[in-house]
Amino acid sequence: MPICKLFSSWPIVVGLMLCCLFSIPCEAKIHHHTFIIQEATYTRLCNNTKNILTVNGLYPGPTISTRKGDIVYVKVINRGNKNITIHWHGVRLPRDPWSDGPEYITQCPIQPRANYTQRIQFTEEEGTLWWHAHSEFDRATVHGAIVIYPKLGTTFPFGKPHKEFTLILGEWWNNNITDVYQTAVASGGQFDLSDANTINGQPGDFMPCSSNDTFKVQVEPGKMYLLRLINAAMENEFFFAVSGHNVTVVGTDASYTKPYMNEFIMITQGQTMDLLFQANQFQNSSSPFHYYIIAALYFDANAGGSRDFNATVAILEYKTNHSAPSMTPVLTSLPYFNDTNAAAAFTSGLRSLASSDHPVVITQSVDVKMYITLSVNEQLCPNKSCAGVNGTRFATSMNNASFQTPKLDVLDAYYNSIAGVYTTDFPDQPPLFFNFTGDNLPEELYFVEKSTKAKVLEYNTTVEIVFQGTNLGAVNHPVHLHGHSFYVIGRGTGNFNNTTDPLSYNLVDPPYENTVGVPRNGWATIRFRADNPGVWFMHCHNEEHSIWGMDVVFITKNGNTTEAKILPPPADKPPC
């Protein structure tokens, strides 16, 4: 219903005034959802049955469908046995960090038998996003898709697909997820690897006892389809392909791109992509009519790393009147798991649509420049009693600051001027410069201290960040920024050169994203405008890296007008 019907009992002039007061377009619609956090029993991998945390008993959880400009209210009811929060990944949430969700950053968690209603306003997003738990290790099973269609009266900037379907890439652990989290945190060691990778919660044909439940989609010969792809995995990046078919990228992170055709894609944790493909492989009765949809690990770490290497598949099935015998689906080979050239070549082809209806708005001048190093570190343990390297505890950092989650959320502390929760001294550059990507780095560089440092930004400033990967636990880092999307204006290998590398920046049609993969021993540059007042989290979307401290909080101060000030907190905000 139109949102102004909220004020239907008021005289029409007053109703319109209230719409304007709340900055709500009167053509917008309002939607209501109820998310019940509850345990449900699921079985995977040869009768490995366990209770998992779900929303409404579903794994993956329910899809939120809306249109650009609409508002969605989600009442989250916690009927589980632990605290939880929910985050709306990639949604701007103008002036409303209270609904954003990261635990102890913008809210205290929703306790068992409590509830919290979050308000999600879709202002600039159009395409595919997702929602997920943002507490402990719970997003392993608590996640789902968000589909944002164009406003009524507008349409896709590409031919209308015959149908669409959503695929969520994830992981399955035979062990209880809370146990996985608590064991790793207590020991200071690595998190247990998942037992399978999944597509829509199913491991697929290649894994034991999984063939009967492999996710399947049906297509009609000659039709065009839209595939909405989400990487919800905790630890894994993927090469992905629809065997026998090219895919055309038309969107990333709910922003349209120039059509970009390829045999495969690479997608980092947290990213979403909209892909078109033509169902053009079934020509006659002798043609294959089953094709594997496959996601296989991309992992560019040094020799010391480890991941779940199991490929996961779904099946694309052509609708046909022919009674063909059962046969093995066609399988396309993907690049080798550590083929950094293939990954870089794909990523370099992504470009914003940059059309009159979907323009690129990038400020040429910069107010704040930051150079942020990303490292996997260590902390000393008494008597070398931890399970990390040489008895240490694993930690991670940005600019040698390893984030320590506070006991009171940063947003509440900022809004109510509560001292002692965070400091405002996150540095614009690392405290020590060295050959960040060099081999055999001195051992003392690995050690780091915990802190809760934030970076304060003046309203409406333009921010440019160069993320520098280091050879301290070198691996691709998918960095996600809450409350904003940003332009990825540059990317390269080695140590960033402040003189020559900016000459290669794309300031014409760079991709507009909310999650950027910073290549192993390389760099990536983003640019955004800090025009969303509030407290916003930035972190690595490899979940163990975020838990270990590869995080920072941005605080964007209020502007001078009412429309540039943070909204007041909701009445049902969860207590600490």
Side-chain angles (χ1 to χ4, degrees), residues 196-218:
N197 293 304
T198 59
I199 294 178
N200 287 355
Q202 294 292 345
D205 278 6
F206 299 168
M207 297 302 294
C209 310
S210 301
S211 294
N212 291 340
D213 297 311
T214 299
F215 187 78
K216 297 178 175 65
V217 295
Q218 283 195 327

Side-chain angles (χ1 to χ4, degrees), residues 404-417:
Q404 175 70 57
T405 304
K407 300 300 182 185
L408 176 69
D409 65 283
V410 177
L411 175 58
D412 205 36
Y414 168 67
Y415 191 81
N416 293 297
S417 301

Side-chain angles (χ1 to χ4, degrees), residues 246-568:
N246 289 330
V247 295
T248 300
V249 183
V250 292
T252 62
D253 290 354
S255 179
Y256 293 118
T257 65
K258 289 182 170 65
Y260 172 33
M261 181 181 288
N262 213 41
E263 295 178 356
F264 66 90
I265 68 163
M266 193 281 284
I267 185 168
T268 70
Q269 305 97 309
Q271 281 189 318
T272 64
M273 292 191 182
D274 293 335
L275 311 173
L276 292 177
F277 72 91
Q278 197 78 22
N280 56 9
Q281 293 303 298
F282 187 82
Q283 306 297 331
N284 52 56
S285 59
S286 62
S287 301
F289 64 97
H290 286 140
Y291 294 81
Y292 277 125
I293 300 171
I294 181 170
L297 182 70
Y298 170 60
F299 184 50
D300 66 350
N302 55 25
S306 58
R307 284 292 185 274
D308 176 357
F309 278 82
N310 296 305
T312 179
V313 293
I315 294 176
L316 181 76
E317 180 179 80
Y318 278 84
K319 294 180 181 179
T320 172
N321 295 324
H322 301 289
S323 55
S326 178
M327 61 182 66
T328 301
V330 174
L331 178 63
T332 292
S333 62
L334 286 169
Y336 199 53
F337 77 90
N338 60 356
D339 191 339
T340 56
N341 290 333
F346 167 75
T347 304
S348 67
L350 295 171
R351 296 282 189 273
S352 284
L353 187 58
S355 67
S356 57
D357 291 330
H358 303 278
V360 166
V361 183
I362 184 167
T363 304
Q364 303 295 308
S365 60
V366 176
D367 302 308
V368 177
K369 286 192 174 185
M370 303 181 73
Y371 184 64
I372 299 180
T373 54
L374 309 173
S375 303
V376 177
N377 304 96
E378 302 166 17
Q379 283 185 290
L380 292 174
C381 285
N383 302 317
K384 297 185 176 181
S385 57
C386 291
V389 178
N390 297 322
T392 63
R393 171 179 293 277
F394 279 113
T396 53
S397 66
M398 293 184 172
N399 277 354
N400 212 46
S402 187
F403 191 82
Q404 175 70 57
T405 304
K407 300 300 182 185
L408 176 69
D409 65 283
V410 177
L411 175 58
D412 205 36
Y414 168 67
Y415 191 81
N416 293 297
S417 301
I418 300 172
V421 177
Y422 65 92
T423 61
T424 58
D425 56 343
F426 183 83
D428 287 348
Q429 60 186 29
L432 176 66
F433 278 77
F434 55 93
N435 181 6
F436 297 119
T437 60
D439 295 328
N440 303 314
L441 296 176
E443 186 174 355
E444 58 265 24
L445 294 175
Y446 281 85
F447 291 95
V448 70
E449 297 294 330
K450 288 288 184 180
S451 62
T452 305
K453 296 183 178 183
K455 171 67 178 178
V456 178
L457 299 170
E458 296 295 328
Y459 178 76
N460 215 32
T461 53
T462 298
V463 182
E464 181 176 292
I465 303 175
V466 177
F467 295 108
Q468 176 67 62
T470 74
N471 209 18
L472 301 173
V475 67
N476 190 85
H477 294 290
V479 180
H480 170 54
L481 176 59
H482 292 221
H484 307 76
S485 289
F486 46 73
Y487 291 104
V488 183
I489 61 175
R491 184 186 270 107
T493 58
N495 296 321
F496 178 77
N497 184 307
N498 194 45
T499 301
T500 59
D501 284 330
L503 300 177
S504 67
Y505 283 173
N506 176 7
L507 302 179
V508 177
D509 58 355
Y512 192 56
E513 301 176 341
N514 61 62
T515 306
V516 58
V518 182
R520 179 175 79 92
N521 283 341
W523 57 270
T525 303
I526 68 169
R527 193 177 290 183
F528 67 96
R529 185 182 290 277
D531 57 358
N532 193 7
V535 170
W536 306 106
F537 203 31
M538 187 174 77
H539 61 96
C540 182
H541 225 276
N542 179 325
E543 197 67 13
E544 64 181 8
H545 288 182
S546 182
I547 290 168
W548 290 343
M550 195 175 287
D551 321 298
V552 68
V553 172
F554 282 103
I555 298 175
T556 300
K557 295 166 67 173
N558 285 335
N560 295 324
T561 65
T562 301
E563 293 75 21
K565 298 183 187 300
I566 187 174
L567 294 171

